[in-house]
């Protein structure tokens, strides 16, 4: 009797496995069954078949597939001009950015940001070792968010759709390939840092070197020291700026890679020390007020002070919201922000995002519709940054990735990259 029951159980298990194997679908079947992915399916199969063919041969891959609603947002986003003008190199890069090697199920993310390489390797957007990364975090309520260039974010709306080669996650907004530092700077109150880098002829290096980590002081930090900085020689200002740049070999300083006590060697030659205290990240004595802003060749962290390579021993005071200045100076007359006017004007050039008939060549039937989700900055968080909410770095320390408005900014990427 017992042997009969065991045999019956084995047969039932085998039958169940066989049924599961029969139910496995390939990518074509999966996409065709998802009516909310019809725009994505049309685009990738009819216009970019080489990407689709490559996907068909994969065994473990994760696809972040923009929904039809995401396509409806295109005319109002940074990606509008590229789609409208059929700029295939840019659109191909955008699609590659939505493909992640390996299986990354929704429950593999937690409250700390992780950064996963993608298929995007076009050096214009991905001058980082291993391919440009996508940020991922799980917020309260098990809401998964993916972050990309210019501080943009996408929400996971349908998870873990399995096919024979991997899984598909449906997202509500396209990922934005990161732009270079000079293009990104104005969007995060960093025009002074961008202008100073331009004045000292560092912009080519900052925009093209591989695997950079930049700790950029915000405009307020420059404004407080306007008299001092404006009177510095070019060589002295260059040394100050170089102390904020880390160029590691195969290393990018995403927050996940910066545990408490990390020491980083800068381009200037001195060291930076990372401290995590009172739920905040500090570099030397400066507070990091926006973390993990992806740029084409690394990552950007915004800090509240200008660092001094001659005062590395100064410690942060976590109880103070804004850390006191280390260098001594005063604001310029009229509280003018030094160097801000020296930022190249091309980085703030906007291309009209008015929908055009050309978009229909991508099979975007809904491209002229109003966006269904918000692209405006959340009033409760600092746009584009990440907020700590725990007292232990790396254990649920980052749970919010705020939205930034994206309208019309791809013009800066296109003009800066010389695509037009």
């Amino acid at each position: 009797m017992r042997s009969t029951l065991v045999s019956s159980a084995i047969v039932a298990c085998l039958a169940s496995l066989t049924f599961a194997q029969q139910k496995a679908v390939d990518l074509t079947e999966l996409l065709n069954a998802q009516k909310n992915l019809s725009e994505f399916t049309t685009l990738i199969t009819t216009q970019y078949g080489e990407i689709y063919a490559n996907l068909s041969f994969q065994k473990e891959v994760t696809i972040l597939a923009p929904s039809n609603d995401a396509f409806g947002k295109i005319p109002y986003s940074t990606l509008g001009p590229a789609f409208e003008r059929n700029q295939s190199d840019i659109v191909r890069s955008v699609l590659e950015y939505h493909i992640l090697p390996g299986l990354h199920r929704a429950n593999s993310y937690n409250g700390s940001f992780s950064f996963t390489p993608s298929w995007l390797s076009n050096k214009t957007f991905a001058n980082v070792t291993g391919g440009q990364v996508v940020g991922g975090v799980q917020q309260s309520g098990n809401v998964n968010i993916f972050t990309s260039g210019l501080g943009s974010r996408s929400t996971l709306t349908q998870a873990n759709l399995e096919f024979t080669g991997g899984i598909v996650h449906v997202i509500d907004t396209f990922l934005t390939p990161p732009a270079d530092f000079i293009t990104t700077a104005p969007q995060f109150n960093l025009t002074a840092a961008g202008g100073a880098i331009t004045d000292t002829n560092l912009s080519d290096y900052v925009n093209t070197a591989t695997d950079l980590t930049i700790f950029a002081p915000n405009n307020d930090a420059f404004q407080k020291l306007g008299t001092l900085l404006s009177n510095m020689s070019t060589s002295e200002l260059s040394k100050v700026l170089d102390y904020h740049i880390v160029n590691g070999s195969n290393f990018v300083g995403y927050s996940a890679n910066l545990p408490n006590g990390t020491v980083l060697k800068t381009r200037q030659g001195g060291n930076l020390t990372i401290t995590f205290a009172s739920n905040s990240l500090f570099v030397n004595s400066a507070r990091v007020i926006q973390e993990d802003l992806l740029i084409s060749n690394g990552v950007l962290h915004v800090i509240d002070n200008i660092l001094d390579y001659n005062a590395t021993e100064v410690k942060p005071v976590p109880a103070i919201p804004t850390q006191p200045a280390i260098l001594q100076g005063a604001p310029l007359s009229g509280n003018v922000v030094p160097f801000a006017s020296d930022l190249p004007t091309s980085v703030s050039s906007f291309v009209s995002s008015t929908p055009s008939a050309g978009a229909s060549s991508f099979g975007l039937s809904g491209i002229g519709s109003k966006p269904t989700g918000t692209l405006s900055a959340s009033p409760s968080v600092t746009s584009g940054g990440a907020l700590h909410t725990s007292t232990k770095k790396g254990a649920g320390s980052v749970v919010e990735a705020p939205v930034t408005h994206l309208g019309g900014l791809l013009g800066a990427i296109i003009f800066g990259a010389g695509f037009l």
Side-chain angles (χ1 to χ4, degrees), residues 85-332:
R85 298 170 183 185
N86 198 7
Q87 292 177 297
S88 59
D89 286 347
I90 295 179
V91 177
R92 181 177 292 103
S93 294
V94 170
L95 292 175
E96 291 171 343
Y97 193 36
H98 288 74
I99 303 169
L100 313 179
L103 298 178
H104 305 279
R105 301 185 186 280
N107 62 6
S108 68
Y109 296 93
N110 57 35
S112 295
F113 267 101
S114 61
F115 296 89
T116 306
S118 68
W119 278 16
L120 177 55
S121 58
N122 181 329
K123 292 297 185 182
T124 301
F125 308 108
N127 191 12
V128 287
T129 301
Q132 187 55 264
V133 301
V134 176
V137 67
Q138 189 172 83
Q139 296 184 343
S140 59
N142 294 327
V143 177
N144 285 61
I145 301 296
F146 296 101
T147 60
S148 53
L150 297 175
S152 61
R153 73 175 193 173
S154 306
T155 301
L156 177 61
T157 59
Q158 194 173 358
N160 304 328
L161 302 177
E162 298 194 14
F163 67 100
T164 51
I167 57 176
V168 171
H169 295 314
V170 181
I171 56 177
D172 70 344
T173 305
F174 269 81
L175 302 176
T176 302
D180 60 39
F181 172 79
I182 295 297
T183 299
T184 302
Q187 316 312 320
F188 298 100
N189 195 33
L190 300 175
T191 51
I197 284 174
T198 301
D199 274 3
T200 52
N201 298 315
L202 288 173
S203 55
D204 284 346
Y205 172 82
V206 165
N207 282 344
T208 61
T210 302
D211 296 338
L212 282 194
T213 303
I214 302 174
F215 296 95
N218 62 10
N219 282 359
D220 290 343
F222 275 85
Q223 187 178 43
K224 288 186 294 187
L225 301 178
T227 56
L228 172 68
L229 299 171
S230 298
N231 290 318
M232 282 185 177
S233 66
T234 299
S235 61
E236 181 58 30
L237 182 59
S238 294
K239 289 172 66 177
V240 171
L241 296 173
D242 281 342
Y243 188 56
H244 295 72
I245 301 170
V246 177
N247 187 195
S249 177
N250 299 327
F251 172 84
V252 178
Y254 308 112
S255 61
N257 296 336
L258 300 176
N260 187 45
T262 298
V263 176
L264 303 170
K265 190 172 185 62
T266 68
R267 188 170 188 258
Q268 180 269 340
N271 291 334
L272 300 174
T273 301
I274 301 298
T275 302
F276 185 76
S278 299
N279 204 31
S280 292
L281 192 68
F282 298 86
V283 53
N284 286 4
S285 64
R287 185 188 298 271
V288 178
I289 55 179
Q290 288 176 287
E291 299 177 10
D292 298 319
L293 301 174
L294 301 180
I295 54 178
S296 57
N297 56 341
V299 70
L300 164 65
H301 303 291
V302 182
I303 59 177
D304 68 353
N305 243 312
I306 294 176
L307 303 173
D308 182 3
Y309 55 82
N310 289 317
T312 59
E313 75 288 348
V314 179
K315 304 299 182 184
V317 184
I320 302 176
T322 299
Q323 298 298 291
I326 303 305
L327 294 166
Q328 299 302 309
L332 292 169

Side-chain angles (χ1 to χ4, degrees), residues 32 64 74 82 87 102 104 116 164 198 217 260 321 337 344 354 374-375 420:
N32 286 338
L64 305 179
I74 288 177
Q87 292 177 297
H104 305 279
T116 306
T164 51
T198 301
N260 187 45
V337 178
T354 303
T374 179
L375 292 178
L420 293 181

